[in-house]
Amino acid sequence: MWLSASSDGWRGPDRFVVIGNPGGRRVELFQAALNDLRLPAARVVSYVDLLSGKEALPRLVREGTIVRIESPGKDFEVERALIAAGADAADGDERFDRVSRQAAQNLSFERGRILYPRQWYLGYFATLRLIELQMAECPPHYPFLRPLHQWMNSPAEIALMFDKIACHQALSSRGSPVAPGLSAINSFDELGERMKEQNWRRVFVKLAHGSSASGVVAYQTDGRRHQATTTVETARQNGELRLYNSRRIRIYRDWREIAELIDALCRHRVHVEQWLPKAGFDNRTFDLRVVVIAGRACHTVARLSRSPMTNLHLLNERGDEDVVRERVGRAAWDAALRNCELAMECFPGSMYAGIDLLFTPDYRRQVVIEVNAFGDLLPGVFWQGQETYAAELLAMENG
Amino acid sequence: MIYEHITNFAGKPVKDWEAQSGIQDPEGACYALRLSYEEGEEGQRWTDKFAAFLDDPSSNRVSGIVIGDWGVLSSATDETSAPVVEALVAARDRLPNLRAIFFGDIIGEECEISWIRQSDVSPLFMAYPQLEHFCVRGADGLSLGTLKHDSLKSLIIQSGGLGVNVVREVTAAEMPELEHLELWLGTDEYGGNARVADLAPIFDGGLFPKLKYLGLRDSQIADEIARAVATAPVVERIRVLDLSLGTLTDEGAAALLASPAIARLEKLDVHHHFCSEGMTAKLQSLGVEVDASEREKPDEYGDEVWRYVAVGE
């Protein structure tokens, strides 16, 4: 009902504003979803223009405009601009690798290179804050509508989702099942000590601000042996250890190499949690990506993998949902969906997110692995006949 | 890598044993005893769970058990299977009907197969003379001892690398009823240091007179094994030859094709192999049942070609 709440605006050009990368797949798919529902195309604000001040929301946002914030990813110019935007941001703890604004602007593209993710996050955080401040200057939304409707997802909550440590805490404090975490790990030595204290032999070390499988290491030790499974590659250049994401899974067994890798990741802030055993299916390990829309678990994808990393973009396969559901059992499946919905309650200002969730090998227990702010890009996956973007728009219409 | 707990063993479905539901079908199902992640975290011990299982009024009728994680997951250090062996041996009189033991249904997500710390399992063979099916997963620390067993029909050792010491224990064993012998040989990187010559007593055919199935699986020397076994006397006696999960290439496959004895088998299993499409087709037209599925492609880095067994690590 709210999509048509404004008689003049409903088919007007100011209905939607998308902040994203123009020409990118996400923006294109959102426009296509609008078009399919016979809604006007969204005005697109690029991150680059927003950051340079060339564009500002008060110029575009009218009464009743809905703002959608899309991923800034897959665009090197934007990545560089966000790193530069984070150059002057104060960090409570200055131990993480930083680069000057000037140097950030001069960075050149290298495929897969992991560039200053902590500073990138600070820059993105500042950008989300800027979006929020600009919105405060815009005409108010319809006063009779909940504030949720001004945004599809609130900037503050997107920031929270991009901080794996804070997100893990938020989930945990609200009773969502998560893997136990280790806070404030700054080195491989510290990691080893803390694992020993906890009696753990397996952990995931993830960049606190990486997206999907960026900078993830599955590490295990029994005190004698060490093994790290990862997509991260290292290369030394001019005395500097550079990190790269690759599509290939590598296994390191030399603890010195593993220490170097984990120490390097720690310089960008890491989140560590226990690597809980995942259930298998069809001779693979699997987990679920569930898109929760307006409080309801909708689109689901079972991601199958031969490695501990199940992320879709690592060329992993999708499992047939019906077959997976049958194998898991109705009760466990329903519990999984409920857990995803519960996880979204941590984000009352967000309409949607992609939740990653694992089943333990007996399927009886489910654990939320991650909440992805932009985890709704699942073209070709349908729920009640709709792809994700359309389902979001329809949920707003019916909300 | 192994991704799922077994659902069938010794021809029976596997059910997780739980105190609440108890033993419903002692003869028709195998009962799995495993510490779940939560139980491990709560400090429960496998042996306590096993004791509770034994207290179930139907435990004396149970015919098969599956031993899952015995606490490896919740322990930062080595946790060998020795206490489990000890507990099973101590329970011999309470499990008079036990015919099948799967020792170590632990998947890769719980513990890499080469990291499973096994132990000397020979006391089990002495404690359970009526045992017919024995499968063990993980070869690190494993010993079968001097194996003499009059009832054992199937012996399966799953590993990512089977040490020559264990292979020699098998080839020195006396198992007159053995019908199914399955060894996952793995790679030398994980301790799989047995050579073809070490398998010679098996190839000669007289070792296990009732052998019907021979599996030399998951091997990095699958071609050499194929060449040796193709013309070996043992092939004349068995019905099924299983060289699956390994690194078989056209070379080994050609030796199999050239052997008239292979064409008289009931089944040849080579699934997970590195043969060419043409060779795969030739294998499939052997006239016997052939599983040549999962044709793998080697990884190539520059001049290096890597062929991986299905279960390493």
Side-chain angles (χ1 to χ4, degrees), chain B residues 189-213:
Chain B
E189 202 178 349
Y190 295 100
N193 53 356
R195 300 281 143 242
V196 174
D198 300 311
L199 301 166
I202 298 172
F203 296 153
D204 290 345
L207 189 56
F208 307 119
K210 293 198 176 170
L211 201 66
K212 294 187 181 116
Y213 165 103

PDB file of all heavy atoms in Angstrom, chain B residues 189-213:
ATOM      1  N   GLU B 189      52.398 -38.868   1.301  1.00  0.00           N
ATOM      2  CA  GLU B 189      52.397 -37.627   2.086  1.00  0.00           C
ATOM      3  C   GLU B 189      51.737 -37.833   3.456  1.00  0.00           C
ATOM      4  O   GLU B 189      52.047 -37.169   4.426  1.00  0.00           O
ATOM      5  CB  GLU B 189      51.627 -36.565   1.302  1.00  0.00           C
ATOM      6  CG  GLU B 189      51.971 -35.163   1.689  1.00  0.00           C
ATOM      7  CD  GLU B 189      51.200 -34.156   0.842  1.00  0.00           C
ATOM      8  OE1 GLU B 189      50.576 -34.545  -0.171  1.00  0.00           O
ATOM      9  OE2 GLU B 189      51.216 -32.991   1.224  1.00  0.00           O
ATOM     10  N   TYR B 190      50.787 -38.769   3.501  1.00  0.00           N
ATOM     11  CA  TYR B 190      50.088 -39.041   4.760  1.00  0.00           C
ATOM     12  C   TYR B 190      50.393 -40.433   5.286  1.00  0.00           C
ATOM     13  O   TYR B 190      49.578 -41.047   5.957  1.00  0.00           O
ATOM     14  CB  TYR B 190      48.579 -38.845   4.567  1.00  0.00           C
ATOM     15  CG  TYR B 190      48.263 -37.419   4.263  1.00  0.00           C
ATOM     16  CD1 TYR B 190      48.036 -37.007   2.969  1.00  0.00           C
ATOM     17  CD2 TYR B 190      48.278 -36.462   5.281  1.00  0.00           C
ATOM     18  CE1 TYR B 190      47.794 -35.674   2.678  1.00  0.00           C
ATOM     19  CE2 TYR B 190      48.039 -35.138   5.005  1.00  0.00           C
ATOM     20  CZ  TYR B 190      47.795 -34.752   3.702  1.00  0.00           C
ATOM     21  OH  TYR B 190      47.565 -33.437   3.427  1.00  0.00           O
ATOM     22  N   GLY B 191      51.571 -40.913   4.947  1.00  0.00           N
ATOM     23  CA  GLY B 191      52.013 -42.166   5.545  1.00  0.00           C
ATOM     24  C   GLY B 191      51.726 -43.406   4.717  1.00  0.00           C
ATOM     25  O   GLY B 191      51.966 -44.522   5.173  1.00  0.00           O
ATOM     26  N   GLY B 192      51.203 -43.223   3.523  1.00  0.00           N
ATOM     27  CA  GLY B 192      50.895 -44.371   2.662  1.00  0.00           C
ATOM     28  C   GLY B 192      52.144 -44.840   1.937  1.00  0.00           C
ATOM     29  O   GLY B 192      52.358 -44.505   0.783  1.00  0.00           O
ATOM     30  N   ASN B 193      52.968 -45.606   2.631  1.00  0.00           N
ATOM     31  CA  ASN B 193      54.273 -45.959   2.066  1.00  0.00           C
ATOM     32  C   ASN B 193      54.338 -47.415   1.590  1.00  0.00           C
ATOM     33  O   ASN B 193      55.408 -47.943   1.358  1.00  0.00           O
ATOM     34  CB  ASN B 193      55.387 -45.678   3.079  1.00  0.00           C
ATOM     35  CG  ASN B 193      55.117 -46.354   4.415  1.00  0.00           C
ATOM     36  OD1 ASN B 193      54.074 -46.970   4.597  1.00  0.00           O
ATOM     37  ND2 ASN B 193      56.054 -46.242   5.347  1.00  0.00           N
ATOM     38  N   ALA B 194      53.191 -48.070   1.440  1.00  0.00           N
ATOM     39  CA  ALA B 194      53.211 -49.452   0.951  1.00  0.00           C
ATOM     40  C   ALA B 194      53.468 -49.458  -0.553  1.00  0.00           C
ATOM     41  O   ALA B 194      52.939 -48.623  -1.286  1.00  0.00           O
ATOM     42  CB  ALA B 194      51.889 -50.133   1.263  1.00  0.00           C
ATOM     43  N   ARG B 195      54.298 -50.381  -0.987  1.00  0.00           N
ATOM     44  CA  ARG B 195      54.579 -50.541  -2.416  1.00  0.00           C
ATOM     45  C   ARG B 195      53.781 -51.747  -2.926  1.00  0.00           C
ATOM     46  O   ARG B 195      53.272 -52.546  -2.137  1.00  0.00           O
ATOM     47  CB  ARG B 195      56.077 -50.775  -2.641  1.00  0.00           C
ATOM     48  CG  ARG B 195      56.963 -49.669  -2.169  1.00  0.00           C
ATOM     49  CD  ARG B 195      56.975 -48.497  -3.178  1.00  0.00           C
ATOM     50  NE  ARG B 195      57.022 -47.223  -2.457  1.00  0.00           N
ATOM     51  CZ  ARG B 195      56.071 -46.284  -2.508  1.00  0.00           C
ATOM     52  NH1 ARG B 195      54.990 -46.483  -3.230  1.00  0.00           N
ATOM     53  NH2 ARG B 195      56.182 -45.171  -1.852  1.00  0.00           N
ATOM     54  N   VAL B 196      53.781 -51.888  -4.238  1.00  0.00           N
ATOM     55  CA  VAL B 196      53.049 -53.005  -4.838  1.00  0.00           C
ATOM     56  C   VAL B 196      53.562 -54.334  -4.295  1.00  0.00           C
ATOM     57  O   VAL B 196      52.784 -55.242  -4.002  1.00  0.00           O
ATOM     58  CB  VAL B 196      53.163 -52.963  -6.381  1.00  0.00           C
ATOM     59  CG1 VAL B 196      52.533 -54.202  -6.985  1.00  0.00           C
ATOM     60  CG2 VAL B 196      52.471 -51.723  -6.907  1.00  0.00           C
ATOM     61  N   ALA B 197      54.872 -54.420  -4.118  1.00  0.00           N
ATOM     62  CA  ALA B 197      55.463 -55.669  -3.627  1.00  0.00           C
ATOM     63  C   ALA B 197      54.898 -56.061  -2.266  1.00  0.00           C
ATOM     64  O   ALA B 197      54.782 -57.249  -1.952  1.00  0.00           O
ATOM     65  CB  ALA B 197      56.984 -55.511  -3.538  1.00  0.00           C
ATOM     66  N   ASP B 198      54.535 -55.054  -1.476  1.00  0.00           N
ATOM     67  CA  ASP B 198      53.982 -55.357  -0.153  1.00  0.00           C
ATOM     68  C   ASP B 198      52.607 -56.021  -0.247  1.00  0.00           C
ATOM     69  O   ASP B 198      52.142 -56.634   0.706  1.00  0.00           O
ATOM     70  CB  ASP B 198      53.867 -54.070   0.680  1.00  0.00           C
ATOM     71  CG  ASP B 198      55.225 -53.416   0.880  1.00  0.00           C
ATOM     72  OD1 ASP B 198      56.161 -54.133   1.271  1.00  0.00           O
ATOM     73  OD2 ASP B 198      55.351 -52.195   0.628  1.00  0.00           O
ATOM     74  N   LEU B 199      51.958 -55.856  -1.384  1.00  0.00           N
ATOM     75  CA  LEU B 199      50.618 -56.424  -1.569  1.00  0.00           C
ATOM     76  C   LEU B 199      50.665 -57.815  -2.201  1.00  0.00           C
ATOM     77  O   LEU B 199      49.633 -58.482  -2.331  1.00  0.00           O
ATOM     78  CB  LEU B 199      49.778 -55.489  -2.454  1.00  0.00           C
ATOM     79  CG  LEU B 199      49.601 -54.060  -1.925  1.00  0.00           C
ATOM     80  CD1 LEU B 199      49.072 -53.146  -3.028  1.00  0.00           C
ATOM     81  CD2 LEU B 199      48.630 -54.050  -0.744  1.00  0.00           C
ATOM     82  N   ALA B 200      51.869 -58.238  -2.569  1.00  0.00           N
ATOM     83  CA  ALA B 200      52.030 -59.492  -3.320  1.00  0.00           C
ATOM     84  C   ALA B 200      51.313 -60.695  -2.683  1.00  0.00           C
ATOM     85  O   ALA B 200      50.660 -61.468  -3.398  1.00  0.00           O
ATOM     86  CB  ALA B 200      53.512 -59.788  -3.527  1.00  0.00           C
ATOM     87  N   PRO B 201      51.396 -60.851  -1.348  1.00  0.00           N
ATOM     88  CA  PRO B 201      50.698 -62.008  -0.767  1.00  0.00           C
ATOM     89  C   PRO B 201      49.193 -62.012  -1.052  1.00  0.00           C
ATOM     90  O   PRO B 201      48.586 -63.076  -1.144  1.00  0.00           O
ATOM     91  CB  PRO B 201      50.971 -61.864   0.735  1.00  0.00           C
ATOM     92  CG  PRO B 201      52.195 -61.017   0.828  1.00  0.00           C
ATOM     93  CD  PRO B 201      52.139 -60.090  -0.339  1.00  0.00           C
ATOM     94  N   ILE B 202      48.626 -60.834  -1.191  1.00  0.00           N
ATOM     95  CA  ILE B 202      47.199 -60.753  -1.519  1.00  0.00           C
ATOM     96  C   ILE B 202      46.988 -61.187  -2.974  1.00  0.00           C
ATOM     97  O   ILE B 202      46.070 -61.938  -3.290  1.00  0.00           O
ATOM     98  CB  ILE B 202      46.657 -59.319  -1.309  1.00  0.00           C
ATOM     99  CG1 ILE B 202      46.796 -58.909   0.158  1.00  0.00           C
ATOM    100  CG2 ILE B 202      45.213 -59.211  -1.785  1.00  0.00           C
ATOM    101  CD1 ILE B 202      46.474 -57.454   0.440  1.00  0.00           C
ATOM    102  N   PHE B 203      47.883 -60.739  -3.851  1.00  0.00           N
ATOM    103  CA  PHE B 203      47.750 -61.040  -5.286  1.00  0.00           C
ATOM    104  C   PHE B 203      47.873 -62.529  -5.562  1.00  0.00           C
ATOM    105  O   PHE B 203      47.279 -63.043  -6.497  1.00  0.00           O
ATOM    106  CB  PHE B 203      48.809 -60.279  -6.098  1.00  0.00           C
ATOM    107  CG  PHE B 203      48.646 -58.783  -6.039  1.00  0.00           C
ATOM    108  CD1 PHE B 203      49.741 -57.941  -6.205  1.00  0.00           C
ATOM    109  CD2 PHE B 203      47.397 -58.221  -5.838  1.00  0.00           C
ATOM    110  CE1 PHE B 203      49.595 -56.562  -6.158  1.00  0.00           C
ATOM    111  CE2 PHE B 203      47.252 -56.837  -5.795  1.00  0.00           C
ATOM    112  CZ  PHE B 203      48.357 -56.015  -5.946  1.00  0.00           C
ATOM    113  N   ASP B 204      48.660 -63.218  -4.741  1.00  0.00           N
ATOM    114  CA  ASP B 204      48.876 -64.645  -4.991  1.00  0.00           C
ATOM    115  C   ASP B 204      47.596 -65.463  -4.877  1.00  0.00           C
ATOM    116  O   ASP B 204      47.506 -66.548  -5.442  1.00  0.00           O
ATOM    117  CB  ASP B 204      49.930 -65.201  -4.016  1.00  0.00           C
ATOM    118  CG  ASP B 204      51.306 -64.644  -4.352  1.00  0.00           C
ATOM    119  OD1 ASP B 204      51.440 -64.095  -5.474  1.00  0.00           O
ATOM    120  OD2 ASP B 204      52.213 -64.720  -3.513  1.00  0.00           O
ATOM    121  N   GLY B 205      46.648 -64.932  -4.121  1.00  0.00           N
ATOM    122  CA  GLY B 205      45.322 -65.555  -4.168  1.00  0.00           C
ATOM    123  C   GLY B 205      45.048 -66.610  -3.118  1.00  0.00           C
ATOM    124  O   GLY B 205      43.895 -66.926  -2.844  1.00  0.00           O
ATOM    125  N   GLY B 206      46.084 -67.161  -2.513  1.00  0.00           N
ATOM    126  CA  GLY B 206      45.841 -68.235  -1.552  1.00  0.00           C
ATOM    127  C   GLY B 206      45.597 -67.742  -0.140  1.00  0.00           C
ATOM    128  O   GLY B 206      45.147 -68.490   0.730  1.00  0.00           O
ATOM    129  N   LEU B 207      45.863 -66.468   0.078  1.00  0.00           N
ATOM    130  CA  LEU B 207      45.843 -65.914   1.431  1.00  0.00           C
ATOM    131  C   LEU B 207      44.457 -65.994   2.072  1.00  0.00           C
ATOM    132  O   LEU B 207      44.319 -66.438   3.205  1.00  0.00           O
ATOM    133  CB  LEU B 207      46.330 -64.467   1.361  1.00  0.00           C
ATOM    134  CG  LEU B 207      46.603 -63.741   2.660  1.00  0.00           C
ATOM    135  CD1 LEU B 207      47.598 -64.490   3.527  1.00  0.00           C
ATOM    136  CD2 LEU B 207      47.108 -62.320   2.368  1.00  0.00           C
ATOM    137  N   PHE B 208      43.469 -65.516   1.357  1.00  0.00           N
ATOM    138  CA  PHE B 208      42.099 -65.522   1.884  1.00  0.00           C
ATOM    139  C   PHE B 208      41.232 -66.329   0.905  1.00  0.00           C
ATOM    140  O   PHE B 208      40.730 -65.778  -0.070  1.00  0.00           O
ATOM    141  CB  PHE B 208      41.586 -64.092   2.045  1.00  0.00           C
ATOM    142  CG  PHE B 208      42.503 -63.216   2.859  1.00  0.00           C
ATOM    143  CD1 PHE B 208      43.088 -62.078   2.302  1.00  0.00           C
ATOM    144  CD2 PHE B 208      42.806 -63.544   4.184  1.00  0.00           C
ATOM    145  CE1 PHE B 208      43.940 -61.277   3.050  1.00  0.00           C
ATOM    146  CE2 PHE B 208      43.666 -62.743   4.936  1.00  0.00           C
ATOM    147  CZ  PHE B 208      44.237 -61.610   4.368  1.00  0.00           C
ATOM    148  N   PRO B 209      41.069 -67.603   1.175  1.00  0.00           N
ATOM    149  CA  PRO B 209      40.457 -68.493   0.168  1.00  0.00           C
ATOM    150  C   PRO B 209      39.035 -68.128  -0.217  1.00  0.00           C
ATOM    151  O   PRO B 209      38.582 -68.465  -1.307  1.00  0.00           O
ATOM    152  CB  PRO B 209      40.512 -69.873   0.841  1.00  0.00           C
ATOM    153  CG  PRO B 209      40.810 -69.627   2.287  1.00  0.00           C
ATOM    154  CD  PRO B 209      41.520 -68.326   2.371  1.00  0.00           C
ATOM    155  N   LYS B 210      38.309 -67.446   0.681  1.00  0.00           N
ATOM    156  CA  LYS B 210      36.907 -67.135   0.359  1.00  0.00           C
ATOM    157  C   LYS B 210      36.700 -65.723  -0.191  1.00  0.00           C
ATOM    158  O   LYS B 210      35.567 -65.261  -0.312  1.00  0.00           O
ATOM    159  CB  LYS B 210      36.046 -67.338   1.608  1.00  0.00           C
ATOM    160  CG  LYS B 210      35.955 -68.793   2.029  1.00  0.00           C
ATOM    161  CD  LYS B 210      34.793 -69.012   2.962  1.00  0.00           C
ATOM    162  CE  LYS B 210      34.676 -70.495   3.289  1.00  0.00           C
ATOM    163  NZ  LYS B 210      33.706 -70.724   4.362  1.00  0.00           N
ATOM    164  N   LEU B 211      37.803 -65.063  -0.492  1.00  0.00           N
ATOM    165  CA  LEU B 211      37.711 -63.662  -0.922  1.00  0.00           C
ATOM    166  C   LEU B 211      36.865 -63.505  -2.192  1.00  0.00           C
ATOM    167  O   LEU B 211      37.070 -64.208  -3.182  1.00  0.00           O
ATOM    168  CB  LEU B 211      39.117 -63.106  -1.180  1.00  0.00           C
ATOM    169  CG  LEU B 211      39.256 -61.587  -1.142  1.00  0.00           C
ATOM    170  CD1 LEU B 211      38.998 -61.053   0.266  1.00  0.00           C
ATOM    171  CD2 LEU B 211      40.644 -61.147  -1.612  1.00  0.00           C
ATOM    172  N   LYS B 212      35.898 -62.590  -2.118  1.00  0.00           N
ATOM    173  CA  LYS B 212      35.051 -62.319  -3.286  1.00  0.00           C
ATOM    174  C   LYS B 212      35.230 -60.892  -3.782  1.00  0.00           C
ATOM    175  O   LYS B 212      34.971 -60.578  -4.932  1.00  0.00           O
ATOM    176  CB  LYS B 212      33.569 -62.506  -2.907  1.00  0.00           C
ATOM    177  CG  LYS B 212      33.209 -63.928  -2.575  1.00  0.00           C
ATOM    178  CD  LYS B 212      31.697 -64.031  -2.389  1.00  0.00           C
ATOM    179  CE  LYS B 212      31.295 -65.444  -2.040  1.00  0.00           C
ATOM    180  NZ  LYS B 212      30.699 -65.524  -0.702  1.00  0.00           N
ATOM    181  N   TYR B 213      35.609 -60.018  -2.843  1.00  0.00           N
ATOM    182  CA  TYR B 213      35.757 -58.604  -3.180  1.00  0.00           C
ATOM    183  C   TYR B 213      37.139 -58.150  -2.724  1.00  0.00           C
ATOM    184  O   TYR B 213      37.524 -58.366  -1.574  1.00  0.00           O
ATOM    185  CB  TYR B 213      34.677 -57.790  -2.455  1.00  0.00           C
ATOM    186  CG  TYR B 213      34.934 -56.292  -2.419  1.00  0.00           C
ATOM    187  CD1 TYR B 213      34.250 -55.427  -3.269  1.00  0.00           C
ATOM    188  CD2 TYR B 213      35.872 -55.747  -1.536  1.00  0.00           C
ATOM    189  CE1 TYR B 213      34.493 -54.060  -3.232  1.00  0.00           C
ATOM    190  CE2 TYR B 213      36.124 -54.382  -1.503  1.00  0.00           C
ATOM    191  CZ  TYR B 213      35.430 -53.536  -2.349  1.00  0.00           C
ATOM    192  OH  TYR B 213      35.672 -52.185  -2.320  1.00  0.00           O
TER     193      TYR B 213
END
